[in-house]
Amino acid sequence: MTDMLTHTSERDTLPTTNNRIRLAVREVRETAFRALYAAGVSSGEAGAAADTVTAMQLHARTGIDTLLDTLDRLDPSSGPTGATLSRKSAVDIVDHSPRSGLLSGPLAVDLALSQARPVLLSGINDHEAADWYALRAASRSGTTLWLVALDDHERRATVVTATGDMYRDVAVTFECGAESDRGTLVLTAPFAANSSRPVHTAAERETRYRHAVSYGVFVDTATWSRAYALGRRFLVPEAQHD
């Protein structure tokens, strides 16, 4: 059984322990959005990223860690944030400052879905956050997406299908068209029957989501405390009056 369903109802209804806190699904999403927006991310980007953080936390337990890693890179002293687009003969390139799959993944995925050209997430090898955004986008669009790590000499990919399934470490048997570049390539391509079981399916994710809505989701207390504190910067204090 996949990681999504390892939380049984009995386990999730245990009292909160000293090192874990139980949260509502909406709390995860709202805190992620507020923390990103307070850090200077646009409302649209923050919304897409917050949805991804929530999905990652529910189904892979990595959402809050990914959020904090991204926020650590959003250092105002390092200059303005934002994405740039450029074009080569075979691929469009998305580069983000700072480089973040959580923030630039949605742009690359949406571009790949809207045109018949692959899109490169420049310099991003860890594409887990982009995978989760792509899974939702592929399901909505009815299109299969491949996310290929070009630094991987064996050319292994994450594949997300129109039916809502996610496969990992799939061998790439076709030419990617950006062999000299480094990063993660996002492209549409058919997916033949695979002998391995998907690591996430639409049915399992739906079951896990309903369970989380009913019983909440556990997050490490120290990790959550830091994310919550960063989210509180979103709130503007009321003016003091004499």
Side-chain angles (χ1 to χ4, degrees):
M1 190 61 69
T2 61
D3 183 66
M4 294 174 292
L5 301 180
T6 56
H7 293 285
T8 64
S9 59
E10 292 79 13
R11 179 178 175 183
D12 274 359
T13 53
L14 290 173
T16 303
T17 61
N18 290 334
N19 63 342
R20 293 194 303 164
I21 185 171
R22 189 206 306 266
L23 303 169
V25 174
R26 64 169 181 79
E27 290 181 277
V28 175
R29 202 270 178 193
E30 289 177 2
T31 296
F33 174 83
R34 291 178 176 183
L36 288 161
Y37 188 76
V41 178
S42 70
S43 177
E45 283 184 306
D51 289 339
T52 301
V53 167
T54 305
M56 293 175 72
Q57 190 62 41
L58 287 181
H59 306 303
R61 302 178 184 156
T62 56
I64 301 301
D65 288 333
T66 300
L67 170 67
L68 292 176
D69 178 68
T70 300
L71 291 170
D72 285 342
R73 300 182 190 186
L74 292 172
D75 182 1
S77 63
S78 63
T81 64
T84 58
L85 300 176
S86 57
R87 172 165 287 203
K88 289 188 175 181
S89 59
V91 64
D92 289 345
I93 301 173
V94 173
D95 203 351
H96 194 281
S97 176
R99 283 176 172 167
S100 163
L102 183 62
L103 297 179
S104 55
L107 176 57
V109 168
D110 290 346
L111 279 174
L113 285 172
S114 66
Q115 59 185 8
R117 283 171 58 85
V119 179
L120 177 70
L121 280 167
S122 179
I124 295 177
N125 302 318
D126 181 3
H127 50 80
E128 183 189 9
D131 294 347
W132 281 101
Y133 181 86
L135 179 61
R136 186 177 184 184
S139 300
R140 288 181 170 182
S141 66
T143 305
T144 294
L145 281 167
W146 292 65
L147 294 94
V148 185
L150 296 181
D151 283 351
D152 184 352
H153 296 297
E154 296 182 359
R155 290 292 187 268
R156 314 292 291 186
T158 296
V159 179
V160 293
T161 69
T163 56
D165 297 337
M166 178 188 289
Y167 295 82
R168 292 202 186 275
D169 296 322
V170 178
V172 180
T173 58
F174 51 83
E175 292 295 325
C176 293
E179 302 295 331
S180 62
D181 295 297
R182 291 294 177 264
T184 296
L185 195 67
V186 184
L187 70 161
T188 60
F191 183 53
N194 191 287
S195 59
S196 64
R197 186 182 186 277
V199 293
H200 299 285
T201 68
E204 289 170 343
R205 287 186 293 108
E206 178 64 19
T207 299
R208 176 64 187 136
Y209 174 77
R210 291 182 179 275
H211 186 266
V213 169
S214 298
Y215 297 104
V217 57
F218 280 112
V219 179
D220 174 76
T221 301
T223 302
W224 177 251
S225 295
R226 184 174 170 224
Y228 183 77
L230 292 170
R232 282 182 62 83
R233 298 183 303 176
F234 173 87
L235 304 175
V236 179
E238 293 181 357
Q240 298 295 320
H241 299 284
D242 294 333

Short mmCIF file of all heavy atoms in Angstrom, two decimals, residues 12 16 20-32 54 57-58 64 208-209 211-221 223-225 227-228:
data_model
loop_
_atom_site.label_atom_id
_atom_site.label_comp_id
_atom_site.label_asym_id
_atom_site.label_seq_id
_atom_site.Cartn_x
_atom_site.Cartn_y
_atom_site.Cartn_z
N ASP A 12 -4.62 7.86 13.20
CA ASP A 12 -4.86 9.29 13.09
C ASP A 12 -5.80 9.83 14.15
O ASP A 12 -5.92 11.04 14.30
CB ASP A 12 -5.41 9.63 11.70
CG ASP A 12 -4.31 9.84 10.68
OD1 ASP A 12 -3.14 9.75 11.07
OD2 ASP A 12 -4.63 10.07 9.51
N THR A 16 -2.81 14.00 20.04
CA THR A 16 -1.60 14.65 19.55
C THR A 16 -0.46 14.45 20.53
O THR A 16 -0.62 14.65 21.73
CB THR A 16 -1.86 16.15 19.36
OG1 THR A 16 -2.95 16.32 18.47
CG2 THR A 16 -0.64 16.84 18.80
N ARG A 20 4.13 16.23 17.60
CA ARG A 20 3.27 16.32 16.43
C ARG A 20 2.02 17.11 16.78
O ARG A 20 1.56 17.10 17.92
CB ARG A 20 2.86 14.93 15.92
CG ARG A 20 3.98 14.09 15.36
CD ARG A 20 3.43 12.91 14.60
NE ARG A 20 2.55 12.10 15.43
CZ ARG A 20 1.70 11.20 14.95
NH1 ARG A 20 1.59 11.01 13.65
NH2 ARG A 20 0.94 10.49 15.76
N ILE A 21 1.50 17.79 15.78
CA ILE A 21 0.27 18.56 15.95
C ILE A 21 -0.70 18.16 14.86
O ILE A 21 -0.29 17.92 13.72
CB ILE A 21 0.57 20.07 15.94
CG1 ILE A 21 -0.70 20.88 16.24
CG2 ILE A 21 1.17 20.50 14.59
CD1 ILE A 21 -0.42 22.35 16.46
N ARG A 22 -1.97 18.07 15.23
CA ARG A 22 -3.00 17.73 14.26
C ARG A 22 -3.58 19.01 13.66
O ARG A 22 -3.97 19.93 14.39
CB ARG A 22 -4.11 16.92 14.92
CG ARG A 22 -5.12 16.32 13.94
CD ARG A 22 -6.45 16.10 14.61
NE ARG A 22 -6.34 15.31 15.81
CZ ARG A 22 -6.51 13.98 15.86
NH1 ARG A 22 -6.77 13.32 14.76
NH2 ARG A 22 -6.43 13.33 17.00
N LEU A 23 -3.67 19.07 12.34
CA LEU A 23 -4.14 20.27 11.65
C LEU A 23 -5.27 19.93 10.70
O LEU A 23 -5.34 18.82 10.16
CB LEU A 23 -3.00 20.90 10.84
CG LEU A 23 -1.74 21.29 11.60
CD1 LEU A 23 -0.64 21.62 10.62
CD2 LEU A 23 -2.02 22.45 12.53
N ALA A 24 -6.13 20.91 10.47
CA ALA A 24 -7.12 20.80 9.42
C ALA A 24 -6.43 21.02 8.07
O ALA A 24 -5.42 21.73 7.98
CB ALA A 24 -8.23 21.82 9.61
N VAL A 25 -6.98 20.43 7.03
CA VAL A 25 -6.39 20.57 5.70
C VAL A 25 -6.32 22.05 5.30
O VAL A 25 -5.32 22.52 4.76
CB VAL A 25 -7.21 19.77 4.66
CG1 VAL A 25 -6.70 20.04 3.25
CG2 VAL A 25 -7.16 18.29 4.97
N ARG A 26 -7.37 22.79 5.59
CA ARG A 26 -7.39 24.21 5.21
C ARG A 26 -6.32 25.01 5.93
O ARG A 26 -5.81 26.00 5.39
CB ARG A 26 -8.76 24.82 5.48
CG ARG A 26 -9.15 24.87 6.94
CD ARG A 26 -10.39 25.71 7.18
NE ARG A 26 -10.71 25.75 8.60
CZ ARG A 26 -10.09 26.53 9.48
NH1 ARG A 26 -9.12 27.33 9.07
NH2 ARG A 26 -10.42 26.51 10.75
N GLU A 27 -5.93 24.59 7.15
CA GLU A 27 -4.87 25.30 7.87
C GLU A 27 -3.54 25.19 7.14
O GLU A 27 -2.76 26.14 7.11
CB GLU A 27 -4.73 24.75 9.29
CG GLU A 27 -5.87 25.07 10.22
CD GLU A 27 -5.63 24.50 11.60
OE1 GLU A 27 -5.92 23.31 11.81
OE2 GLU A 27 -5.14 25.25 12.48
N VAL A 28 -3.27 24.02 6.60
CA VAL A 28 -2.03 23.82 5.86
C VAL A 28 -2.01 24.73 4.64
O VAL A 28 -1.04 25.45 4.38
CB VAL A 28 -1.88 22.35 5.43
CG1 VAL A 28 -0.65 22.16 4.56
CG2 VAL A 28 -1.82 21.44 6.65
N ARG A 29 -3.11 24.76 3.91
CA ARG A 29 -3.19 25.55 2.69
C ARG A 29 -3.11 27.04 3.00
O ARG A 29 -2.36 27.78 2.36
CB ARG A 29 -4.49 25.21 1.97
CG ARG A 29 -4.49 25.53 0.47
CD ARG A 29 -4.97 26.92 0.18
NE ARG A 29 -4.92 27.22 -1.24
CZ ARG A 29 -5.06 28.43 -1.73
NH1 ARG A 29 -5.24 29.47 -0.94
NH2 ARG A 29 -4.99 28.63 -3.03
N GLU A 30 -3.86 27.51 3.98
CA GLU A 30 -3.89 28.93 4.29
C GLU A 30 -2.54 29.42 4.82
O GLU A 30 -2.08 30.52 4.45
CB GLU A 30 -4.98 29.22 5.31
CG GLU A 30 -6.39 29.10 4.75
CD GLU A 30 -7.45 29.32 5.80
OE1 GLU A 30 -7.09 29.59 6.96
OE2 GLU A 30 -8.64 29.22 5.46
N THR A 31 -1.90 28.63 5.66
CA THR A 31 -0.61 29.05 6.20
C THR A 31 0.45 29.08 5.11
O THR A 31 1.28 29.99 5.06
CB THR A 31 -0.18 28.11 7.34
OG1 THR A 31 -1.13 28.24 8.42
CG2 THR A 31 1.21 28.45 7.85
N ALA A 32 0.43 28.09 4.20
CA ALA A 32 1.38 28.09 3.09
C ALA A 32 1.19 29.33 2.22
O ALA A 32 2.16 30.00 1.84
CB ALA A 32 1.22 26.82 2.27
N THR A 54 -0.07 21.61 0.04
CA THR A 54 -1.12 20.84 0.72
C THR A 54 -1.16 19.41 0.20
O THR A 54 -1.23 18.45 0.99
CB THR A 54 -2.48 21.51 0.52
OG1 THR A 54 -2.41 22.86 0.97
CG2 THR A 54 -3.56 20.78 1.30
N GLN A 57 1.84 17.48 1.46
CA GLN A 57 1.76 17.14 2.87
C GLN A 57 0.79 15.99 3.12
O GLN A 57 1.06 15.09 3.92
CB GLN A 57 1.34 18.36 3.70
CG GLN A 57 1.46 18.16 5.19
CD GLN A 57 2.90 17.89 5.62
OE1 GLN A 57 3.83 18.51 5.13
NE2 GLN A 57 3.07 16.95 6.54
N LEU A 58 -0.34 16.00 2.42
CA LEU A 58 -1.33 14.96 2.61
C LEU A 58 -0.86 13.60 2.11
O LEU A 58 -1.07 12.58 2.77
CB LEU A 58 -2.62 15.32 1.87
CG LEU A 58 -3.48 16.44 2.46
CD1 LEU A 58 -4.72 16.64 1.60
CD2 LEU A 58 -3.88 16.14 3.88
N ILE A 64 5.27 20.74 4.03
CA ILE A 64 5.74 21.82 4.88
C ILE A 64 7.26 21.96 4.78
O ILE A 64 7.79 23.06 4.76
CB ILE A 64 5.31 21.60 6.34
CG1 ILE A 64 3.78 21.51 6.43
CG2 ILE A 64 5.81 22.74 7.23
CD1 ILE A 64 3.06 22.74 5.92
N ARG A 208 -7.44 9.22 0.85
CA ARG A 208 -6.58 9.89 1.82
C ARG A 208 -7.08 11.31 2.11
O ARG A 208 -7.08 11.76 3.27
CB ARG A 208 -5.14 9.93 1.28
CG ARG A 208 -4.16 10.68 2.16
CD ARG A 208 -3.99 10.00 3.51
NE ARG A 208 -3.18 10.82 4.40
CZ ARG A 208 -3.45 11.04 5.68
NH1 ARG A 208 -4.53 10.52 6.23
NH2 ARG A 208 -2.67 11.79 6.41
N TYR A 209 -7.53 12.02 1.09
CA TYR A 209 -8.05 13.37 1.29
C TYR A 209 -9.28 13.36 2.19
O TYR A 209 -9.39 14.16 3.13
CB TYR A 209 -8.38 14.01 -0.06
CG TYR A 209 -9.04 15.36 0.07
CD1 TYR A 209 -8.29 16.49 0.40
CD2 TYR A 209 -10.42 15.49 -0.09
CE1 TYR A 209 -8.90 17.74 0.54
CE2 TYR A 209 -11.03 16.73 0.05
CZ TYR A 209 -10.27 17.84 0.37
OH TYR A 209 -10.88 19.06 0.54
N HIS A 211 -10.12 11.18 4.35
CA HIS A 211 -9.69 10.81 5.69
C HIS A 211 -9.08 12.01 6.41
O HIS A 211 -9.35 12.26 7.60
CB HIS A 211 -8.68 9.67 5.62
CG HIS A 211 -8.29 9.11 6.94
ND1 HIS A 211 -7.19 9.54 7.64
CD2 HIS A 211 -8.89 8.18 7.72
CE1 HIS A 211 -7.12 8.89 8.77
NE2 HIS A 211 -8.12 8.05 8.85
N ALA A 212 -8.27 12.78 5.70
CA ALA A 212 -7.64 13.95 6.30
C ALA A 212 -8.66 15.02 6.66
O ALA A 212 -8.53 15.70 7.68
CB ALA A 212 -6.58 14.53 5.35
N VAL A 213 -9.68 15.18 5.82
CA VAL A 213 -10.74 16.14 6.13
C VAL A 213 -11.46 15.75 7.41
O VAL A 213 -11.81 16.59 8.24
CB VAL A 213 -11.72 16.25 4.95
CG1 VAL A 213 -12.97 17.02 5.35
CG2 VAL A 213 -11.05 16.92 3.76
N SER A 214 -11.66 14.45 7.59
CA SER A 214 -12.38 13.98 8.77
C SER A 214 -11.53 13.98 10.03
O SER A 214 -12.02 14.33 11.11
CB SER A 214 -12.91 12.56 8.52
OG SER A 214 -13.82 12.54 7.44
N TYR A 215 -10.27 13.58 9.90
CA TYR A 215 -9.44 13.36 11.09
C TYR A 215 -8.26 14.31 11.20
O TYR A 215 -7.56 14.31 12.21
CB TYR A 215 -8.91 11.91 11.09
CG TYR A 215 -10.00 10.88 11.16
CD1 TYR A 215 -10.38 10.17 10.03
CD2 TYR A 215 -10.66 10.62 12.37
CE1 TYR A 215 -11.39 9.22 10.10
CE2 TYR A 215 -11.66 9.67 12.43
CZ TYR A 215 -12.03 8.97 11.30
OH TYR A 215 -13.02 8.04 11.36
N GLY A 216 -8.02 15.13 10.20
CA GLY A 216 -6.88 16.03 10.23
C GLY A 216 -5.61 15.36 9.74
O GLY A 216 -5.59 14.18 9.39
N VAL A 217 -4.56 16.15 9.70
CA VAL A 217 -3.26 15.65 9.25
C VAL A 217 -2.23 16.04 10.29
O VAL A 217 -2.25 17.14 10.83
CB VAL A 217 -2.91 16.24 7.86
CG1 VAL A 217 -2.91 17.76 7.87
CG2 VAL A 217 -1.57 15.71 7.37
N PHE A 218 -1.32 15.12 10.61
CA PHE A 218 -0.30 15.38 11.60
C PHE A 218 0.93 15.99 10.95
O PHE A 218 1.36 15.57 9.88
CB PHE A 218 0.11 14.08 12.32
CG PHE A 218 -0.85 13.66 13.39
CD1 PHE A 218 -1.63 12.51 13.24
CD2 PHE A 218 -0.99 14.41 14.54
CE1 PHE A 218 -2.51 12.13 14.22
CE2 PHE A 218 -1.87 14.03 15.54
CZ PHE A 218 -2.63 12.89 15.38
N VAL A 219 1.50 16.99 11.62
CA VAL A 219 2.72 17.65 11.17
C VAL A 219 3.65 17.79 12.37
O VAL A 219 3.17 17.99 13.51
CB VAL A 219 2.42 19.05 10.57
CG1 VAL A 219 3.70 19.75 10.13
CG2 VAL A 219 1.44 18.94 9.41
N ASP A 220 4.93 17.66 12.14
CA ASP A 220 5.91 17.87 13.21
C ASP A 220 5.69 19.25 13.83
O ASP A 220 5.59 20.26 13.13
CB ASP A 220 7.32 17.76 12.64
CG ASP A 220 8.38 18.11 13.67
OD1 ASP A 220 8.64 17.29 14.54
OD2 ASP A 220 8.93 19.23 13.57
N THR A 221 5.64 19.30 15.15
CA THR A 221 5.29 20.54 15.85
C THR A 221 6.30 21.66 15.59
O THR A 221 5.92 22.80 15.31
CB THR A 221 5.18 20.29 17.37
OG1 THR A 221 4.19 19.30 17.61
CG2 THR A 221 4.82 21.57 18.10
N THR A 223 8.38 22.01 13.09
CA THR A 223 8.31 22.43 11.70
C THR A 223 7.10 23.32 11.46
O THR A 223 7.18 24.36 10.81
CB THR A 223 8.24 21.19 10.78
OG1 THR A 223 9.39 20.37 11.01
CG2 THR A 223 8.19 21.58 9.32
N TRP A 224 5.97 22.90 12.01
CA TRP A 224 4.76 23.69 11.83
C TRP A 224 4.86 25.05 12.51
O TRP A 224 4.40 26.06 11.98
CB TRP A 224 3.55 22.94 12.35
CG TRP A 224 2.30 23.77 12.25
CD1 TRP A 224 1.60 24.35 13.26
CD2 TRP A 224 1.63 24.13 11.04
NE1 TRP A 224 0.53 25.05 12.78
CE2 TRP A 224 0.52 24.93 11.41
CE3 TRP A 224 1.85 23.86 9.68
CZ2 TRP A 224 -0.35 25.45 10.47
CZ3 TRP A 224 0.98 24.39 8.76
CH2 TRP A 224 -0.11 25.17 9.15
N SER A 225 5.47 25.09 13.68
CA SER A 225 5.60 26.36 14.40
C SER A 225 6.36 27.38 13.57
O SER A 225 6.01 28.57 13.54
CB SER A 225 6.32 26.14 15.74
OG SER A 225 5.54 25.33 16.59
N ALA A 227 6.61 27.40 10.20
CA ALA A 227 5.77 27.78 9.07
C ALA A 227 4.67 28.74 9.52
O ALA A 227 4.37 29.73 8.84
CB ALA A 227 5.16 26.54 8.42
N TYR A 228 4.07 28.48 10.66
CA TYR A 228 3.00 29.32 11.16
C TYR A 228 3.51 30.72 11.48
O TYR A 228 2.84 31.72 11.17
CB TYR A 228 2.39 28.69 12.41
CG TYR A 228 1.21 29.45 12.97
CD1 TYR A 228 -0.03 29.37 12.37
CD2 TYR A 228 1.35 30.26 14.10
CE1 TYR A 228 -1.12 30.07 12.87
CE2 TYR A 228 0.28 30.96 14.61
CZ TYR A 228 -0.95 30.86 14.00
OH TYR A 228 -2.03 31.57 14.49
#
